[in-house]
Short mmCIF file of all heavy atoms in Angstrom, two decimals:
data_model
loop_
_atom_site.label_atom_id
_atom_site.label_comp_id
_atom_site.label_asym_id
_atom_site.label_seq_id
_atom_site.Cartn_x
_atom_site.Cartn_y
_atom_site.Cartn_z
N THR A 491 -2.76 15.78 -31.79
CA THR A 491 -2.09 17.01 -32.20
C THR A 491 -1.35 16.82 -33.52
O THR A 491 -1.43 17.66 -34.43
CB THR A 491 -1.10 17.46 -31.12
OG1 THR A 491 -1.80 17.57 -29.87
CG2 THR A 491 -0.48 18.81 -31.46
N VAL A 492 -0.63 15.69 -33.64
CA VAL A 492 0.12 15.43 -34.87
C VAL A 492 -0.82 15.27 -36.05
O VAL A 492 -0.57 15.77 -37.15
CB VAL A 492 1.00 14.17 -34.70
CG1 VAL A 492 1.55 13.71 -36.02
CG2 VAL A 492 2.15 14.45 -33.73
N THR A 493 -1.95 14.60 -35.87
CA THR A 493 -2.91 14.39 -36.95
C THR A 493 -3.50 15.71 -37.43
O THR A 493 -3.75 15.90 -38.63
CB THR A 493 -4.03 13.46 -36.47
OG1 THR A 493 -3.46 12.26 -35.99
CG2 THR A 493 -5.00 13.16 -37.60
N LYS A 494 -3.71 16.63 -36.50
CA LYS A 494 -4.33 17.90 -36.88
C LYS A 494 -3.32 18.91 -37.44
O LYS A 494 -3.64 19.68 -38.35
CB LYS A 494 -5.03 18.52 -35.66
CG LYS A 494 -6.25 17.73 -35.21
CD LYS A 494 -6.87 18.39 -33.99
CE LYS A 494 -8.09 17.60 -33.53
NZ LYS A 494 -8.70 18.20 -32.32
N VAL A 495 -2.11 18.93 -36.93
CA VAL A 495 -1.17 20.00 -37.24
C VAL A 495 -0.26 19.66 -38.41
O VAL A 495 -0.07 20.44 -39.33
CB VAL A 495 -0.34 20.36 -35.98
CG1 VAL A 495 0.71 21.41 -36.31
CG2 VAL A 495 -1.27 20.85 -34.88
N ILE A 496 0.38 18.49 -38.38
CA ILE A 496 1.39 18.15 -39.38
C ILE A 496 0.72 17.77 -40.69
O ILE A 496 -0.19 16.94 -40.71
CB ILE A 496 2.26 17.00 -38.89
CG1 ILE A 496 2.96 17.41 -37.58
CG2 ILE A 496 3.29 16.60 -39.93
CD1 ILE A 496 3.81 16.33 -36.99
N PRO A 497 1.13 18.36 -41.82
CA PRO A 497 0.53 18.03 -43.12
C PRO A 497 0.77 16.57 -43.51
O PRO A 497 1.69 15.92 -43.02
CB PRO A 497 1.24 18.99 -44.09
CG PRO A 497 1.81 20.06 -43.23
CD PRO A 497 2.12 19.42 -41.92
N VAL A 498 -0.05 16.11 -44.44
CA VAL A 498 0.03 14.71 -44.87
C VAL A 498 1.34 14.45 -45.61
O VAL A 498 1.99 13.42 -45.41
CB VAL A 498 -1.17 14.36 -45.76
CG1 VAL A 498 -1.06 12.92 -46.25
CG2 VAL A 498 -2.47 14.57 -45.01
N GLU A 499 1.74 15.39 -46.49
CA GLU A 499 2.97 15.19 -47.28
C GLU A 499 4.19 15.09 -46.37
O GLU A 499 5.08 14.26 -46.61
CB GLU A 499 3.14 16.35 -48.26
CG GLU A 499 2.12 16.37 -49.37
CD GLU A 499 2.25 15.14 -50.26
OE1 GLU A 499 3.38 14.63 -50.40
OE2 GLU A 499 1.23 14.69 -50.79
N PHE A 500 4.21 15.92 -45.32
CA PHE A 500 5.35 15.87 -44.41
C PHE A 500 5.41 14.52 -43.69
O PHE A 500 6.49 13.96 -43.49
CB PHE A 500 5.25 17.02 -43.40
CG PHE A 500 6.38 17.06 -42.43
CD1 PHE A 500 7.62 17.58 -42.80
CD2 PHE A 500 6.23 16.56 -41.15
CE1 PHE A 500 8.67 17.60 -41.91
CE2 PHE A 500 7.26 16.58 -40.24
CZ PHE A 500 8.51 17.10 -40.62
N ARG A 501 4.24 13.99 -43.32
CA ARG A 501 4.21 12.68 -42.66
C ARG A 501 4.70 11.58 -43.61
O ARG A 501 5.39 10.65 -43.20
CB ARG A 501 2.79 12.38 -42.16
CG ARG A 501 2.35 13.26 -41.01
CD ARG A 501 1.22 12.59 -40.22
NE ARG A 501 0.08 12.28 -41.04
CZ ARG A 501 -0.92 13.11 -41.29
NH1 ARG A 501 -0.89 14.35 -40.77
NH2 ARG A 501 -1.94 12.77 -42.03
N LYS A 502 4.34 11.70 -44.91
CA LYS A 502 4.81 10.71 -45.88
C LYS A 502 6.32 10.76 -46.01
O LYS A 502 6.99 9.72 -46.05
CB LYS A 502 4.16 10.97 -47.24
CG LYS A 502 2.69 10.61 -47.29
CD LYS A 502 2.13 10.86 -48.68
CE LYS A 502 0.65 10.47 -48.76
NZ LYS A 502 0.10 10.74 -50.13
N ARG A 503 6.88 11.97 -46.10
CA ARG A 503 8.33 12.10 -46.19
C ARG A 503 9.01 11.54 -44.94
O ARG A 503 10.06 10.88 -45.02
CB ARG A 503 8.70 13.56 -46.36
CG ARG A 503 8.28 14.17 -47.69
CD ARG A 503 8.59 15.65 -47.72
NE ARG A 503 8.09 16.29 -48.95
CZ ARG A 503 8.16 17.59 -49.18
NH1 ARG A 503 8.70 18.39 -48.28
NH2 ARG A 503 7.68 18.09 -50.30
N GLN A 504 8.37 11.79 -43.82
CA GLN A 504 8.95 11.29 -42.58
C GLN A 504 8.96 9.76 -42.56
O GLN A 504 9.94 9.14 -42.14
CB GLN A 504 8.13 11.82 -41.39
CG GLN A 504 8.78 11.56 -40.03
CD GLN A 504 7.97 12.15 -38.90
OE1 GLN A 504 6.80 12.43 -39.05
NE2 GLN A 504 8.61 12.33 -37.76
N ARG A 505 7.87 9.14 -43.04
CA ARG A 505 7.82 7.68 -43.10
C ARG A 505 8.87 7.13 -44.07
O ARG A 505 9.51 6.11 -43.78
CB ARG A 505 6.42 7.23 -43.54
CG ARG A 505 5.36 7.44 -42.48
CD ARG A 505 3.98 7.21 -43.04
NE ARG A 505 2.94 7.58 -42.10
CZ ARG A 505 1.65 7.68 -42.41
NH1 ARG A 505 1.26 7.45 -43.68
NH2 ARG A 505 0.77 8.02 -41.50
N LYS A 506 9.03 7.81 -45.24
CA LYS A 506 10.05 7.37 -46.19
C LYS A 506 11.44 7.46 -45.58
O LYS A 506 12.27 6.56 -45.76
CB LYS A 506 9.98 8.22 -47.46
CG LYS A 506 8.77 7.93 -48.33
CD LYS A 506 8.78 8.81 -49.57
CE LYS A 506 7.57 8.54 -50.46
NZ LYS A 506 7.57 9.40 -51.66
N MET A 507 11.69 8.55 -44.89
CA MET A 507 12.99 8.72 -44.25
C MET A 507 13.24 7.63 -43.21
O MET A 507 14.34 7.07 -43.11
CB MET A 507 13.06 10.10 -43.59
CG MET A 507 14.40 10.43 -42.96
SD MET A 507 15.74 10.43 -44.19
CE MET A 507 15.26 11.89 -45.15
N GLN A 508 12.19 7.30 -42.44
CA GLN A 508 12.33 6.23 -41.45
C GLN A 508 12.61 4.89 -42.12
O GLN A 508 13.41 4.09 -41.63
CB GLN A 508 11.07 6.15 -40.60
CG GLN A 508 10.90 7.34 -39.64
CD GLN A 508 9.60 7.27 -38.87
OE1 GLN A 508 8.76 6.42 -39.14
NE2 GLN A 508 9.43 8.20 -37.92
N ARG A 509 11.93 4.64 -43.25
CA ARG A 509 12.19 3.40 -43.99
C ARG A 509 13.63 3.35 -44.48
O ARG A 509 14.30 2.31 -44.41
CB ARG A 509 11.23 3.29 -45.16
CG ARG A 509 9.79 2.98 -44.75
CD ARG A 509 8.86 3.06 -45.94
NE ARG A 509 7.47 2.92 -45.55
CZ ARG A 509 6.45 3.12 -46.37
NH1 ARG A 509 6.68 3.49 -47.65
NH2 ARG A 509 5.21 2.97 -45.94
N LYS A 510 14.12 4.50 -45.03
CA LYS A 510 15.50 4.54 -45.52
C LYS A 510 16.48 4.27 -44.38
O LYS A 510 17.47 3.55 -44.54
CB LYS A 510 15.79 5.90 -46.14
CG LYS A 510 15.12 6.12 -47.48
CD LYS A 510 15.47 7.49 -48.04
CE LYS A 510 14.81 7.71 -49.40
NZ LYS A 510 15.14 9.05 -49.95
N ILE A 511 16.19 4.86 -43.23
CA ILE A 511 17.07 4.64 -42.07
C ILE A 511 17.08 3.17 -41.68
O ILE A 511 18.13 2.59 -41.39
CB ILE A 511 16.62 5.53 -40.89
CG1 ILE A 511 16.86 7.00 -41.23
CG2 ILE A 511 17.35 5.15 -39.61
CD1 ILE A 511 16.24 7.97 -40.23
N LYS A 512 15.88 2.54 -41.68
CA LYS A 512 15.81 1.12 -41.34
C LYS A 512 16.56 0.27 -42.36
O LYS A 512 17.28 -0.67 -41.99
CB LYS A 512 14.35 0.67 -41.27
CG LYS A 512 13.60 1.21 -40.07
CD LYS A 512 12.17 0.70 -40.06
CE LYS A 512 11.41 1.24 -38.86
NZ LYS A 512 10.00 0.76 -38.86
N LEU A 513 16.40 0.60 -43.69
CA LEU A 513 17.09 -0.16 -44.72
C LEU A 513 18.60 0.01 -44.60
O LEU A 513 19.36 -0.96 -44.75
CB LEU A 513 16.62 0.30 -46.11
CG LEU A 513 15.19 -0.10 -46.49
CD1 LEU A 513 14.80 0.56 -47.82
CD2 LEU A 513 15.06 -1.62 -46.61
N SER A 514 19.04 1.23 -44.37
CA SER A 514 20.48 1.45 -44.22
C SER A 514 21.02 0.72 -43.01
O SER A 514 22.14 0.19 -43.04
CB SER A 514 20.76 2.95 -44.10
OG SER A 514 20.12 3.49 -42.95
N ALA A 515 20.21 0.67 -41.94
CA ALA A 515 20.65 -0.08 -40.75
C ALA A 515 20.75 -1.57 -41.05
O ALA A 515 21.69 -2.24 -40.62
CB ALA A 515 19.67 0.17 -39.60
N LYS A 516 19.79 -2.11 -41.84
CA LYS A 516 19.85 -3.52 -42.22
C LYS A 516 21.06 -3.80 -43.09
O LYS A 516 21.75 -4.82 -42.91
CB LYS A 516 18.57 -3.91 -42.97
CG LYS A 516 17.34 -4.01 -42.08
CD LYS A 516 16.14 -4.44 -42.89
CE LYS A 516 14.90 -4.54 -42.03
NZ LYS A 516 13.70 -4.95 -42.81
N GLU A 517 21.32 -2.90 -44.07
CA GLU A 517 22.48 -3.10 -44.94
C GLU A 517 23.78 -3.03 -44.14
O GLU A 517 24.71 -3.82 -44.36
CB GLU A 517 22.48 -2.03 -46.03
CG GLU A 517 21.36 -2.19 -47.05
CD GLU A 517 21.34 -1.06 -48.06
OE1 GLU A 517 22.18 -0.15 -47.92
OE2 GLU A 517 20.49 -1.10 -48.98
N ALA A 518 23.85 -2.11 -43.21
CA ALA A 518 25.04 -2.02 -42.36
C ALA A 518 25.22 -3.29 -41.54
O ALA A 518 26.35 -3.78 -41.38
CB ALA A 518 24.93 -0.80 -41.44
#
Side-chain angles (χ1 to χ4, degrees):
T491 305
V492 167
T493 304
K494 292 179 180 179
V495 176
I496 300 178
V498 178
E499 291 296 330
F500 180 78
R501 291 202 302 273
K502 288 182 179 179
R503 292 176 185 176
Q504 190 178 19
R505 289 170 188 169
K506 288 180 180 180
M507 184 62 68
Q508 289 176 353
R509 288 173 186 171
K510 287 181 180 180
I511 292 170
K512 289 181 180 179
L513 289 173
S514 62
K516 287 182 180 179
E517 291 176 358

